Amino acid sequence: MLEFRTQGFNGYAVKYSPFFDSRIAVASAANFGLVGNGRLYILGLTPEGILAEKWFDTQDSLYDLCWSETHENQCVVATGDGSIKLFDIALDEFPVRSWQEHKREVFAVHWNLVAKDTFCSSSWDGTLKIVRTPPQTFFQ
């Protein structure tokens, strides 16, 4: 069995890339997601084990993630500050897009497997948001 330690962060979600069977993303949070930062890990499965290819630190906890169904290097994360962030792992820092659509923690995101330009999110504020990219359109 392979193992990877998210030192200082607790894992909340893990997803395989729909494009590469050797790439995994992990959404994590410090202090069990109660307070503190988050980290998005991009992990590679290699013959030597699981290796961290890249990671992105965030100012709030990360609770869920999903890979883009149209772009092999992009994934969306659900954050504790009510925002949804799009990261491009080909870049070295910062999300390429951020939406502040929820008033409370975002706990789930999922990319539509049929309409591949659409993903959804749900939050503790009691709302579900559906995003069509591009253009960036929100439906409640």
Side-chain angles (χ1 to χ4, degrees):
M1 178 186 298
L2 299 175
E3 180 178 299
F4 180 84
R5 268 217 176 284
T6 57
Q7 193 69 31
F9 291 85
N10 307 98
Y12 270 85
V14 60
K15 304 282 172 59
Y16 272 98
S17 165
F19 296 96
F20 304 104
D21 62 357
S22 62
R23 184 173 286 163
I24 297 174
V26 178
S28 64
N31 305 307
F32 304 99
L34 299 174
V35 295
N37 299 347
R39 181 172 285 169
L40 171 64
Y41 289 95
I42 307 301
L43 306 176
L45 303 178
T46 71
E48 292 79 37
I50 303 174
L51 302 177
E53 294 178 351
K54 189 171 277 197
W55 61 85
F56 299 93
D57 289 327
T58 61
Q59 292 183 351
D60 215 317
S61 301
L62 301 183
Y63 297 115
D64 197 15
L65 70 98
C66 62
W67 287 96
S68 168
E69 288 292 321
T70 59
H71 194 294
E72 65 190 27
N73 291 322
Q74 293 183 346
C75 61
V76 168
V77 295
T79 72
D81 65 3
S83 68
I84 306 160
K85 298 186 184 312
L86 175 68
F87 285 91
D88 188 320
I89 65 172
L91 304 176
D92 286 330
E93 49 186 280
F94 307 116
V96 294
R97 184 75 196 248
S98 182
W99 298 272
Q100 189 68 45
E101 290 298 319
H102 292 285
K103 294 177 179 35
R104 299 278 313 271
E105 295 89 339
V106 181
F107 260 68
V109 288
H110 186 74
W111 214 283
N112 189 321
L113 301 177
V114 177
K116 295 181 185 282
D117 64 343
T118 305
F119 69 87
C120 59
S121 64
S122 65
S123 168
W124 276 12
D125 65 9
T127 63
L128 165 76
K129 304 282 183 163
I130 298 174
V131 183
R132 186 171 298 136
T133 64
Q136 305 300 332
T137 307
F138 278 87
F139 303 99
Q140 286 186 319

